[in-house]
Amino acid sequence: MPPINLAIVGVGKIARDQHLPSIKGNPDFKLIAAASRNGTVDGIANFTTMKSMFEAMPEIDAVSLCMPPQFRYEAAYEAISAGKHVFLEKPPGATLSEVASLEQLAIENSVSLFASWHSRYAAAVEAAKSFLASATLQNAHIVWKEDVRHWHPNQDWIWQAGGLGVFDPGINALSILTHIMPTPVFIKSATLEFPENRQAPIAADLKMTSASGIPVHAEFDWRQTGKQTWDITVATTDGQMVLVDGGSKLTIDGKSVEVPEQSEYAALYHRFANLINERRSDVDIAPLRHVADAFMLGEHIFVEAFND
Ligand code: NAP
């Protein structure tokens, strides 16, 4: 099968750090163009708008949309309407409704839409899911604490409405949780801490439960300096399971479980190629739904101003 002609849109941090190397290592794709207002990619055709790119290069089959979520819907709408397969960076949109609209549009245009959740492809996530599938769960605890100044310096969009604030990394934890839990969970109460000069939270505390009453507590905080923590602990009658470092390592009762080496973005592109070849979409909004629920149900409190 000839490679899928791919274009990347929104050449910024994640495009450079992950998309470009992963595409290079995947023979199913040939990166032939980029569209970005300021960024460019060496060795391929570069455009400042998607419209000019599609006009000049009708052979483009698929696009990866790597701009911030508040600007992704218009780009996705334009690409799907032009008959291109679409890879959406996480979160798939700024609202649930726009993602539903894109899902329908993809059906009407017979293209594949992939709402990617990179953390679900972390090396130890499948092993955690299999362990929990046959265990009796007692409770779960997510601790996702990192230093925003280190990971998101001067990213204004992330602090604006729709940028999600601490849920930008927190949604990665929720994407793992919704994948590994054998039963659905939902939020019962939440506290969101907003810096008084920002529109998005710097910390969030979520109390969730499953239908069968298993409590799940999630703590997200962007004010963490020193050791960074991205861990999910689940107590079960078969022992304590800990997913460490964003899902890359797993221990059960303190013993490490061997997992295959896997790059999250290499696995995402492998999945995208399969979806295109099978003419299917994958649009799971469960992680984004929890974030929306937290904003709807959560108590909003204002804390000290945050400046980069
Ligand atoms: P970024 O570097 O701040 O932005 C990516 C690019 O989007 C920018 O370079 C810019 O390119 C374009 N862009 C910015 N504002 C725009 C606007 N108003 N309209 C259209 N394009 C705009 O962000 P990022 O860190 O790569 O994150 C992008 C997405 O990837 C987010 O949804 C994020 O959650 C996700 N993600 C990020 C990471 C990470 O480590 N950073 C990890 C996983 C997923 P031009 O100015 O050239 O148009």
Side-chain angles (χ1 to χ4, degrees), residues 52-64:
S52 55
M53 178 173 77
F54 290 157
E55 276 167 10
M57 302 186 73
E59 67 272 33
I60 292 169
D61 302 309
V63 294
S64 291

Side-chain angles (χ1 to χ4, degrees), residues 10-15 17 36-39 66-69 71-72 89-91 118 151-152 155 157 168 265:
V11 179
K13 185 170 188 320
I14 197 60
D17 287 357
S36 209
R37 299 162 314 165
N38 303 292
C66 303
M67 70 285 288
F71 318 108
R72 206 170 290 130
E89 247 304 341
K90 53 81 16 184
H118 65 86
W151 298 103
H152 299 283
Q155 282 191 322
W157 63 264
D168 177 83
Y265 276 78

Side-chain angles (χ1 to χ4, degrees), residues 71-94:
F71 318 108
R72 206 170 290 130
Y73 177 78
E74 284 71 18
Y77 187 95
E78 188 179 340
I80 296 171
S81 301
K84 315 299 181 190
H85 306 290
V86 171
F87 176 129
L88 301 169
E89 247 304 341
K90 53 81 16 184

Side-chain angles (χ1 to χ4, degrees), residues 195-206:
E196 59 188 12
N197 60 338
R198 302 287 184 167
Q199 296 168 350
I202 195 163
D205 190 278
L206 314 181

